[in-house]
């Protein structure tokens, strides 16, 4: 598998490792990565809003009794323990139109299967509430 890294100066330096998650396999991906860097440099990404959305999801899901793995980033992992439980939860959420990727061993330690949610600026406050409500419905 081959890949390439798109970036300028200070952005490209950290991603020159062979297994970087920021590697881009084709010209479209490189162009998209460069456009994202442009948006960041121009101040067009509302990082404060993105952080607030992540905090909101973490707090509400924790209050609802879910095992949310702490962090300060848009990815919100919710631990379910077994692969079967994580997969069942992902399927239940998908039926409600919510994308939550299930990860289990060997991607994560055995017995720590989880769902991966990601806060996105494309989501509204109502969307976030719908995610929390969908999780709560799995408790009943």
């Amino acid at each position: 598998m081959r890949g390439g890294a798109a970036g300028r100066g200070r952005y490209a330096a950290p991603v020159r490792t062979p297994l970087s998650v920021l590697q881009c396999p084709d010209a479209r991906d490189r162009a998209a990565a460069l456009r994202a860097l442009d948006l960041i440099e121009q101040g067009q990404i509302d990082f404060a809003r993105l952080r607030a959305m992540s905090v909101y999801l973490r707090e509400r899901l924790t209050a609802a009794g879910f095992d949310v793995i702490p962090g300060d980033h848009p990815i919100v992992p919710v631990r379910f323990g077994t692969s079967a439980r994580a997969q069942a939860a992902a399927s239940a959420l998908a039926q409600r139109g919510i994308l939550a990727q299930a990860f289990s061993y060997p991607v994560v330690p055995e017995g720590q299967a989880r769902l991966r949610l990601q806060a996105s600026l494309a989501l509204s406050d109502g969307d976030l509430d719908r995610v929390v409500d969908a999780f709560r419905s799995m408790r009943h």
Side-chain angles (χ1 to χ4, degrees):
M1 177 181 251
R2 296 182 331 137
R8 298 179 195 91
R10 67 182 178 170
Y11 300 114
V15 298
R16 295 196 192 278
T17 61
L19 299 177
S20 170
V21 296
L22 297 178
Q23 288 185 338
C24 305
D26 65 28
R28 281 187 319 208
D29 289 336
R30 286 190 295 277
L34 288 172
R35 177 67 179 132
L37 292 174
D38 287 341
L39 292 173
I40 291 168
E41 288 174 346
Q42 295 165 10
Q44 295 185 30
I45 306 290
D46 188 350
F47 288 107
R49 167 88 175 119
L50 191 57
R51 183 178 187 288
M53 294 170 81
S54 172
V55 168
Y56 181 86
L57 279 174
R58 288 173 194 283
E59 289 176 352
R60 295 304 183 281
L61 292 173
T62 299
F66 290 91
D67 183 9
V68 179
I69 299 170
D72 186 24
H73 45 77
I75 296 170
V76 180
V78 182
R79 200 174 358 236
F80 279 82
T82 68
S83 176
R85 288 184 64 214
Q87 198 60 48
S91 294
L93 292 169
Q95 290 176 355
R96 298 185 82 152
I98 296 167
L99 174 63
Q101 296 173 314
F103 288 90
S104 58
Y105 181 82
V107 177
V108 298
E110 195 161 3
Q112 295 187 35
R114 61 196 69 171
L115 294 186
R116 177 186 185 261
L117 303 173
Q118 181 154 348
S120 166
L121 292 173
L123 300 174
S124 68
D125 291 345
D127 292 329
L128 298 180
D129 288 336
R130 198 165 63 87
V131 169
V132 173
D133 289 344
F135 267 83
R136 283 187 184 132
S137 74
M138 290 190 296
R139 287 276 187 214
H140 301 352

